[in-house]
Structures are given as C-alpha cells and as structure tokens.
Amino acid sequence: MDLETLCGKMEETVRRAGAYVRTAVPQAIDEKSGHSDLVTEYDVQTQRMLMEELSALYPEAEFMGEEEHLQADVTVGDCFVIDPIDGTANFVAGYNRSAVSVALLRDGQPVLGMVYHPWAEEFFSAIKGKGAFLNGRKLTLSDRPLADSLVGFGSCPYYRDLAQRTTRILGAVLDVAPDIRRMGSAALDLCDIAAGRTGAFFELKLSPWDYAAAGLIAQEAGAKVFDLQGEPLGFSNPSPVVAGAPSAAEELRTLINKTK
Ligand code: IPD
Ligand code: CA
C-alpha cells in the first residue's frame, strides 16, 4: 500500500482513538517509573485499539508503543510507533491538552506521522517529502531567531536528575527569548513549532514515541529537529530533542551545550 492510501485509512483510526480519549474520565490511575509517570486504563485501551485497527490495515508492520512494554527492532522494515495519550498527566488533571500520536518508521526513519489533539480538534499529519498539514492546511514556517521565539520545553518529569540542568537552561533562554511555555505534551509542543506558534523547543530526554510523529511533522513544515550534537534523532533509545525554526533551533542547541 502506498503511503498516501495508508495515511487516509489511518486518519480515521487515529481520529476514533482521539474521540475515545476526549470523552474518557480516567478511574484507574497507576504509577509507572515514579510519582509523575502515570498510566490510566485509557492509555492501555487506546493503545490496544490502535494496534488492532492498524494491524488490520497493515499486517506486515511491527509495533513499538509507550504502554505494556511494546518493543520492536525499529531499524529494519516498517514499524508503527504509538503514543496512545501523549500528555497523560494533563489527561489525569483534566487539562484538555493531550494527543494521540502515531508514526510509521521505515528502516528506522519516520515516513508518516499523525498527531491528533481531540479537544482542539487539531489533526496534524505529514508524509516524508510531501509536507506537513493541520486539518488539511499546509504548514510552512518562516525562519526566525531565538530572540523572536516563544520557547516550549519539557521538564523531563521522569528523570529528576535532569531537572536542575533544565532550569539553568531556562534561565539562559530567558536572557534571549521573549518567554517560555511548558504545556505538557511533547508531541503537541513539536506540532506548535510546525504551526509557527512557538519558534523553538527542547527537552533533555524524551522517548521515541513522544517525538517520532511530531518530529516529522515539524521537519516537513520546515523546522530543524536534532539532538544536542545537531545529529538526526534516533528511535531505538531515549534522546535529547531540540527543534525549531532553523536559526532559533541552532541558537538554542548552542545555548544548551554551553549550559552545564
Ligand atoms: C510526556 C509528555 C511531557 C514530557 C514528558 C513525556 P507522556 O509524555 O510529552 O510533556 O515532558 O517527557 O514523557 O508520558 O504523557 O506520554
Ligand atoms: Ca509521551
């Protein structure tokens, strides 16, 4: 199946998953690695629902996902990478800013990404080389410096050892950029770059399911997305993520590397 056809079929599945999450009221809330790392019955059910429908659409593909230790060798063949609810802490708090995120990796590289924010009814999608779209409208960002960029960030809530460095970086960012934003869903934070709302984003450690789909969406809109060395992101292990309009992303990466 070609990627355009798959994309059309996947959209219905991802929208259905988002609609399910939007009306849900979580009851069974458990901790995973620690006090801030939560999972609800809806994270698990949504991932199962996505897997069932996506494997019916594309039986040859493997799966990697945030819940139920869903691992795969993503470096060969086609693999869906699923975050059923990115922003679970927001979901539990009733914050109404979380997303369903699904990417397709081909031999280790994202070729298709979808991120759906069901409360805002914003559906972001991208196919490699074909551009990024928000509700069918093509997204093209303009370059800008860090000095003209709101900067989104994530606080690495599951890696407490990175909290102090994150706050030092924020101090340095605030010497240059107009302001910062901490919204609670890395996937949506990266999509905000694609939409031109923020100019840059960083988080010192994210998992592949947090950024696989949204990183492609940001890149296809014209953003740079890389690690602290300026290298393309990997998808086998957690990674630092820096992204943004080209000038802002490079300035932010330099600033992060200077701030120990
Ligand atoms: C988390 C969110 C959050 C980011 C964390 C992620 P989850 O994803 O994207 O914004 O700071 O690092 O793990 O656990 O809610 O799917
Ligand atoms: Ca996530």
Side-chain angles (χ1 to χ4, degrees), residues 118-148:
W119 288 272
E121 293 190 23
E122 290 192 329
F123 193 95
F124 294 87
S125 63
I127 294 176
K128 189 160 182 53
K130 301 273 163 88
F133 296 84
L134 165 54
N135 293 343
R137 178 174 58 87
K138 195 168 197 302
L139 298 173
T140 310
L141 60 83
S142 328
D143 196 22
R144 53 175 138 160
L146 200 55
D148 295 339

Side-chain angles (χ1 to χ4, degrees), residues 71-89:
Q71 301 289 341
D73 177 2
V74 299
T75 61
V76 284
D78 283 5
C79 182
F80 286 113
V81 180
I82 297 177
D83 194 339
I85 304 179
D86 184 56
T88 300

Side-chain angles (χ1 to χ4, degrees), residues 66 83 85-88 158 186-187 206-207 209-211:
E66 175 161 16
D83 194 339
I85 304 179
D86 184 56
T88 300
Y158 316 146
L206 281 170
S207 292
W209 44 80
D210 300 316
Y211 58 78

Side-chain angles (χ1 to χ4, degrees), residues 27-95:
Q27 305 288 336
I29 300 159
D30 290 317
E31 293 180 8
K32 294 194 285 186
S33 62
H35 190 51
S36 44
D37 189 3
L38 304 177
V39 59
T40 73
E41 69 274 47
Y42 289 99
D43 296 76
V44 173
Q45 284 305 337
T46 305
Q47 181 168 298
R48 288 183 187 166
M49 177 195 289
L50 285 164
M51 279 184 72
E52 193 178 311
E53 295 196 19
L54 293 172
S55 54
L57 287 179
Y58 190 9
E60 296 79 17
E62 301 285 331
F63 285 90
M64 178 202 252
E66 175 161 16
E67 310 305 339
E68 301 192 295
H69 309 287
L70 191 60
Q71 301 289 341
D73 177 2
V74 299
T75 61
V76 284
D78 283 5
C79 182
F80 286 113
V81 180
I82 297 177
D83 194 339
I85 304 179
D86 184 56
T88 300
N90 277 355
F91 176 61
V92 169
Y95 208 80

Side-chain angles (χ1 to χ4, degrees), residues 86-87 154 182 184-191 201 203 206 210-211 214:
D86 184 56
R182 197 316 185 224
S185 160
L188 289 175
D189 295 341
L190 288 164
C191 287
F201 167 84
E203 187 156 0
L206 281 170
D210 300 316
Y211 58 78

Side-chain angles (χ1 to χ4, degrees), residues 144 146-153 170 173-182 197-202 252:
R144 53 175 138 160
L146 200 55
D148 295 339
S149 298
L150 287 175
V151 177
F153 74 99
L170 291 173
V173 166
L174 283 168
D175 285 339
V176 182
D179 206 352
I180 53 176
R181 294 287 182 272
R182 197 316 185 224
R197 296 166 183 159
T198 51
F201 167 84
F202 78 96
L252 179 58

